[in-house]
C-alpha cells in the first residue's frame, strides 16, 4: 500500500535532497530521478524522467499560486502529465509544493539501484561539463542523440557551446559559452536534422523572453 511521503515538498528544494530523504526512510519510487539536476518544482513542471521512470509515477498533487495571486491545487488527471509536459506548461501558475506517494522498500536495494543508475549516467553522459541536461526531447520513433550522431554533429560547436562528444543528446559548455552560443548551436542542430532526416527536434530546455 503506497504511503504518503512528505505531504508537502517545497518547490525550490533540490530534487537530490528529496531522494536522499526517501533513501534515509526506506521509501522506493524515486530511484529513477537520482542524478537528475534541478528543483522539485522543475521536475514536476516538465514531468522529469529517466531510465523507465517519470514524476507522474509518484506525483499525485501540486499546490500553486496563479497569476492573480490565488492559491490552488491540481490533482490526478488535472496535472495533465505526459512526456516532458504538465498542465503548468500552459497555465502560468507557479508551483509551490509537491505531494508524492512512495512505497516502503528495502534501503539496501534502494541504494543499490540508485548507485547503479548514477554509474550509468557517469558512463554515458558528459557530467564532467556544465550543461542543462538532455537538450532535446525524444522525437516519436527516434532517439535525438542517435539522429544527431548520424548527421555527424558530435563535437560541433558554436563559441563555447559544443555537442558532447560523449553523448550527442547533450549540449555542453566546453568553456566560456554564452546563452547565445548554446541557442545558436541548438538551432543549427535542429535545422540540420530537419534537412537531412526530415525530423523536427524540440528542445527540452525551455527558453523564455
Amino acid at each position: 500500500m503506497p504511503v504518503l511521503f512528505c505531504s508537502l515538498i517545497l518547490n525550490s528544494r533540490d530534487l537530490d535532497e528529496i531522494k536522499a530523504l526517501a533513501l534515509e526512510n526506506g521509501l522506493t519510487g524515486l530511484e529513477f530521478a537520482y542524478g537528475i539536476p534541478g528543483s522539485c518544482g522543475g521536475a514536476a513542471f516538465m514531468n522529469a524522467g529517466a531510465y523507465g521512470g517519470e514524476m507522474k509515477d509518484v506525483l499525485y498533487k501540486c499546490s500553486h499560486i496563479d497569476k492573480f495571486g490565488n492559491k490552488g491545487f491540481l490533482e490526478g488527471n488535472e496535472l495533465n502529465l505526459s512526456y516532458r509536459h504538465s498542465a503548468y506548461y500552459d497555465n502560468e501558475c507557479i508551483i509551490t509544493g509537491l505531494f508524492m506517494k512512495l512505497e516502503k522498500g528495502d534501503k539496501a536495494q534502494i541504494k543499490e539501484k540508485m548507485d547503479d543508475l548514477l554509474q550509468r549516467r557517469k558512463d554515458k553522459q558528459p557530467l564532467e561539463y556544465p550543461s542543462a541536461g538532455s537538450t532535446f526531447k525524444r522525437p516519436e520513433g527516434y532517439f535525438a542523440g542517435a539522429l544527431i550522431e548520424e548527421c555527424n554533429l558530435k563535437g560541433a560547436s558554436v563559441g563555447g557551446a559544443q555537442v558532447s562528444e560523449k553523448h550527442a543528446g547533450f549540449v555542453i559548455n566546453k568553456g566560456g559559452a554564452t546563452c547565445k552560443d548554446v541557442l545558436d548551436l541548438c538551432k543549427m542542430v535542429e535545422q540540420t536534422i530537419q534537412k537531412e532526416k526530415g525530423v523536427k527536434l524540440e528542445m527540452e530546455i525551455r527558453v523564455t523572453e
Side-chain angles (χ1 to χ4, degrees):
M1 183 72 177
V3 295
L4 184 60
F5 166 59
C6 286
S7 58
L8 178 62
I9 299 172
L10 295 181
N11 160 51
S12 61
R13 291 194 69 170
D14 191 281
L15 197 55
D16 276 337
E17 292 182 58
I18 304 306
K19 290 172 289 190
L21 192 57
L23 174 60
E24 182 183 334
N25 289 275
L27 296 169
T28 183
L30 273 177
E31 291 90 334
F32 74 88
Y34 194 44
I36 294 178
S39 68
C40 292
F45 181 89
M46 69 172 296
N47 184 30
Y51 297 110
E54 297 177 286
M55 287 299 291
K56 73 175 184 179
D57 299 331
V58 294
L59 182 67
Y60 73 93
K61 182 165 68 171
C62 284
S63 61
H64 62 250
I65 297 175
D66 69 20
K67 62 182 178 181
F68 303 107
N70 301 310
K71 295 180 180 180
F73 294 90
L74 289 181
E75 186 170 359
N77 291 335
E78 294 175 334
L79 290 166
N80 195 21
L81 297 170
S82 59
Y83 178 66
R84 302 301 178 265
H85 180 271
S86 77
Y88 290 102
Y89 250 83
D90 311 305
N91 65 13
E92 300 184 45
C93 293
I94 298 172
I95 298 172
T96 56
L98 280 64
F99 296 75
M100 295 193 289
K101 284 185 178 180
L102 305 178
E103 295 183 1
K104 276 292 186 182
D106 180 83
K107 289 177 70 171
Q109 291 180 355
I110 295 169
K111 179 69 162 56
E112 182 180 358
K113 186 172 182 180
M114 284 183 167
D115 289 344
D116 175 59
L117 293 181
L118 183 59
Q119 189 59 52
R120 289 197 220 175
R121 291 182 191 280
K122 289 179 178 179
D123 291 342
K124 297 180 180 179
Q125 299 177 9
L127 303 183
E128 62 273 26
Y129 290 98
S131 78
S134 179
T135 304
F136 298 97
K137 294 181 180 179
R138 184 177 66 245
E140 188 173 353
Y142 300 91
F143 291 98
L147 289 171
I148 294 167
E149 189 168 355
E150 288 168 11
C151 290
N152 298 312
L153 289 172
K154 254 189 174 182
S157 61
V158 172
Q162 182 186 58
V163 176
S164 170
E165 295 177 316
K166 189 174 185 180
H167 190 312
F170 287 71
V171 170
I172 62 170
N173 181 350
K174 67 177 182 179
T178 64
C179 177
K180 187 176 186 302
D181 290 342
V182 172
L183 295 181
D184 285 350
L185 179 56
C186 289
K187 184 176 181 180
M188 183 189 81
V189 169
E190 290 173 350
Q191 291 175 339
T192 302
I193 300 303
Q194 180 71 58
K195 180 180 179 181
E196 296 190 14
K197 297 291 186 178
V199 178
K200 180 175 176 57
L201 287 185
E202 182 182 352
M203 288 197 298
E204 281 195 28
I205 302 169
R206 191 175 195 225
V207 182
T208 58
E209 295 294 332

